[in-house]
């Protein structure tokens, strides 16, 4: 491989990394500004959004730590369910979010682990900080496994699996998106 | 020190069946909580898990029993035992996982090892250090006093004098569990949702019977069609938004036809009457209960239940083949555990539809339950204010207007939405706190003829 080719592939990788990160940051900004309709628009029609349960298991049985699709979950959504959730937040009577929570989605450790030209497998870590009312504080840390599809000039989310770093959830609800 | 009498010394004043008023202190008082742990959770039959969660030898599930945690374990002979998750040596938990499969439980402190039956089978240094003077048979994991199952639901009690499980459940409690068991060959869906609400556990139980709150609390779920929209002619005023707009509270036809069952030891059922529910919801979702053999087993009155059964003190059966355990951890911290069930014989599509609805209604992300927790948390907070806690909690709806009919072992009332079942639960709760004998407790919780 020539020096020029090596440089070109490195630059291509950096551009792609930049594009993916900017997409994820844009998405996080939409959530933090409660722009749920626009956020749902980032998902493809065949999207699958899934947050399994997690259980404290011994190292020997760690492969059973997370539930799988078809088993109980916190979120198991197609695009239609995401739209219903967004619509519910917008009713003006969704009291769990009125007054609205203040959230900050911090997205880090973004890695493109697969790229077949049409779709990308992207892993990231998140810290979602939420405060409510005068002094309620929730923090959720975890990782996401996304599948992003090239659509038109940009990207869209085909699949998002969210793995929380809690077993017994320490919060009273999950009236937000991850 | 304050001159206010301790709540535990004035149990008579805390609940009034005559005025429908409750003393708010009971939702945050530490001594009341400690008494609840001892006299209620230390004696009652408590739900642990479902038979199908631990199908194989060595399968275990850790379950709460009041302030203790027990390991529910499938034995070599297929039976189930439960014992405290604490080493008989120095107290360390002998199991750190929430569920799994083991051959034995080894304490990670000094290596004491217990068999699936809880017997102490191994002690490092038994000969060299203990000089063979330790009698292993005297130091097993401590078992619950009684364990039994009703149609696959595993219960246990710490009280060896407690009546048999079926007697404890009575017709009301059994009917509650039948509402899941009668749906088919039921098994637990893998995965128990567990989350933490900053509230007193009694608010979470009270809410089970509360068919007055959905129209307001869950208004947004109605708006997006999660609950079938009620007809316009049932709209009633009363609630206005902060801009003065009439919220047009959408009452349901079923709200005029509720069916309430109250039973010994504090069990109760409250909510819509089945026949009136089917007027708006149709009969299709209830196909499972319209089979002749199921109708026969539920009985003429049991077949009318479309509301929420609750087994005292803390087990709620939903209308959606789920069971919710309210787990008190402290006066103002309660964990909610959701167990979900499916019919082994139903098709993959039917199972998927059932799971889809279970995930989207309840649990921390459930579009109904999302709204509940903050109501309870804020209610709990206000019971701590010096002045706020002096205001009585009101459970007056329908008070003194309902005749109790006693037939087929059930005591029931037909009424519009009411607060009978909540008040019944608090009445029983108070009688439990007095720590009477089981016979006295049963007598004091025999329903009267009118509420």
């Amino acid at each position: 491989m020539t020096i020029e080719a090596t440089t070109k592939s490195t630059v291509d990788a950096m551009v792609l990394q930049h594009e993916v990160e900017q997409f994820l940051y844009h998405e996080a900004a939409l959530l933090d500004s409660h722009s749920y309709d626009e956020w749902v628009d980032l998902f493809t029609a065949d999207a699958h959004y899934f947050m399994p349960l997690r259980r404290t298991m011994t190292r020997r049985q760690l492969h059973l730590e997370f539930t799988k699709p078809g088993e109980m979950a916190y979120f198991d959504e197609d695009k239609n369910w995401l739209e219903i959730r967004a619509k519910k937040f917008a009713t003006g009577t969704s009291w769990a979010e009125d007054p609205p929570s203040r959230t900050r989605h911090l997205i880090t450790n973004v890695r493109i682990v697969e790229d077949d030209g049409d779709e990308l497998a992207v892993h990231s870590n998140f810290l979602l900080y939420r405060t409510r009312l005068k002094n309620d504080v929730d923090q959720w840390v975890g990782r996401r496994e996304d599948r992003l599809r090239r659509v038109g000039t940009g990207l869209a989310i085909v699949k998002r699996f969210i793995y929380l770093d809690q077993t017994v959830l320490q919060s009273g609800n999950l009236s937000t998106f991850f | 020190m304050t001159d206010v009498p301790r709540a535990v010394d004035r149990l008579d004043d805390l609940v009034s069946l005559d005025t429908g008023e409750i003393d708010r202190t009971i939702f945050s008082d530490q001594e009341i909580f400690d008494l609840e742990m001892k006299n209620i959770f230390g004696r009652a039959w408590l739900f642990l898990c479902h038979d199908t969660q631990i199908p194989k030898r060595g399968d275990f599930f850790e379950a709460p029993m009041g302030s203790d945690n027990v390991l529910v374990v499938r034995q070599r002979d297929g039976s189930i035992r439960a014992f405290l998750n604490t080493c008989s040596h120095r107290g360390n938990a002998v199991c750190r996982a929430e569920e799994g499969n083991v051959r034995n439980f080894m304490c990670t402190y000094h290596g004491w090892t217990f068999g699936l039956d809880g017997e102490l089978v191994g002690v490092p240094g038994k000969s060299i250090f203990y000089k063979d003077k330790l009698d292993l048979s005297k130091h097993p994991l401590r078992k619950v006093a009684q364990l039994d199952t009703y149609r696959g639901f595993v219960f246990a009690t710490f009280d060896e004098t407690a009546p048999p499980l079926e007697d404890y459940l009575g017709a009301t409690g059994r009917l509650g569990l039948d509402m899941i068991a009668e749906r088919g060959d039921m098994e637990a869906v893998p995965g128990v949702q567990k989350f933490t609400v900053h509230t007193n556990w009694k608010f979470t139980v009270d809410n089970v019977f509360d068919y007055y709150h959905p129209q307001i609390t869950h208004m947004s779920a109605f708006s997006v069609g999660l609950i079938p929209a009620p007809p316009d002619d049932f709209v009633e005023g009363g609630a206005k938004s902060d801009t003065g707009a009439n919220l047009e509270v959408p009452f349901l036809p079923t709200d005029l036809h509720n069916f309430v069952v109250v039973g010994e030891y504090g069990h109760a059922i409250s909510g819509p009457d089945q026949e009136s529910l089917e007027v708006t919801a149709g009969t299709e979702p209830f196909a499972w209960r319209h089979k002749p053999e199921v109708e026969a087993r539920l009985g003429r009155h049991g077949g009318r239940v479309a509301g929420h059964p609750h087994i005292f003190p803390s087990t709620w059966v939903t209308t959606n083949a789920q069971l919710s355990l309210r787990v008190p951890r402290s006066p103002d911290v309660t964990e909610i555990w959701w167990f979900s069930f499916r019919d082994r014989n139903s098709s993959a599509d039917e199972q998927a539809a059932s799971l889809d609805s279970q995930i989207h209604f309840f649990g921390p992300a459930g579009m109904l339950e999302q709204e509940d927790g903050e109501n309870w948390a804020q209610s709990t907070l206000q019971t701590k204010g010096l002045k706020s806690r002096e205001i009585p909690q009101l459970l007056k709806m329908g008070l003194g207007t309902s005749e109790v009919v006693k037939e087929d072992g059930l005591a029931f009332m037909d009424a519009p939405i009411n607060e009978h079942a909540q008040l019944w639960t608090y009445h029983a709760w108070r009688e439990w706190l007095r720590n009477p004998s089981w016979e006295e407790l049963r007598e004091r919780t025999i329903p009267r003829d009118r509420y």
Side-chain angles (χ1 to χ4, degrees), chain B residues 51-201:
Chain B
D51 189 51
T52 57
Q53 286 177 262
I54 47 170
K56 297 192 296 292
R57 184 176 72 193
D59 283 350
F60 70 90
F61 180 78
E62 192 191 42
M65 280 183 73
S67 48
D68 293 292
N69 293 305
V70 299
L71 296 166
V72 195
V73 186
R74 179 69 66 179
Q75 302 296 298
R76 291 175 190 285
D77 64 1
S79 65
I80 297 170
R81 289 192 185 193
F83 23 76
L84 294 174
N85 186 7
T86 178
C87 183
S88 53
H89 178 217
R90 298 287 178 80
N92 182 28
V94 296
C95 177
R96 310 274 178 88
E98 294 171 79
E99 52 192 271
N101 180 279
V102 292
R103 294 210 162 188
N104 44 247
F105 296 99
M106 188 203 76
C107 176
T108 54
Y109 200 170
H110 304 93
W112 283 31
T113 300
F114 303 86
L116 295 179
D117 58 0
E119 292 300 316
L120 179 58
V121 295
V123 172
K126 181 166 136 328
S127 301
I128 307 170
F129 307 138
Y130 281 104
K131 309 292 184 192
D132 283 320
K133 289 188 174 179
L134 186 74
D135 183 352
L136 269 56
S137 72
K138 288 199 163 57
H139 304 286
L141 295 176
R142 299 303 198 268
K143 280 202 281 292
V144 298
Q146 300 185 57
L147 182 144
D148 203 354
T149 62
Y150 176 76
R151 306 193 72 177
F153 299 93
V154 184
F155 285 75
T157 169
F158 287 127
D159 187 348
E160 59 194 19
T161 71
L165 175 61
E166 291 213 10
D167 294 350
Y168 174 80
L169 293 171
T172 310
R174 292 195 300 268
L175 179 57
L177 295 171
D178 289 345
M179 300 308 283
I180 295 177
E182 285 295 340
R183 288 167 183 260
D185 182 9
M186 304 306 284
E187 65 174 356
V189 178
V192 177
Q193 293 182 333
K194 301 174 183 176
F195 66 106
T196 312
V197 183
H198 287 268
T199 186
N200 184 268
W201 68 278

Side-chain angles (χ1 to χ4, degrees), chain B residues 388-421:
Chain B
S388 297
R389 71 173 175 238
E390 289 176 359
I391 304 167
Q393 201 77 355
L394 303 185
L395 293 161
K396 292 173 180 289
M397 189 177 284
L399 193 67
T401 65
S402 298
E403 298 288 340
V404 177
V405 178
K406 296 182 180 177
E407 281 174 4
D408 301 354
L410 297 171
F412 60 87
M413 294 165 265
D414 276 282
I417 290 181
N418 58 80
E419 289 167 341
H420 294 315

Side-chain angles (χ1 to χ4, degrees), chain A residues 152-171:
Chain A
T153 54
L155 295 166
I157 305 165
V158 185
K159 188 184 115 177
R160 168 159 295 166
F161 277 32
I162 304 141
Y163 300 93
L164 278 188
D165 290 335
Q166 291 180 10
T167 55
V168 179
L169 291 190
Q170 299 301 299
S171 49

Side-chain angles (χ1 to χ4, degrees), chain B residues 230-236 251 253:
Chain B
D232 290 342
D233 52 331
F234 280 90
V235 170
E236 183 175 313
F251 282 104

Side-chain angles (χ1 to χ4, degrees), chain B residues 265-276:
Chain B
Y265 303 118
H267 313 308
I269 303 172
S270 186
D273 169 88
Q274 176 67 21
E275 202 175 309
S276 63

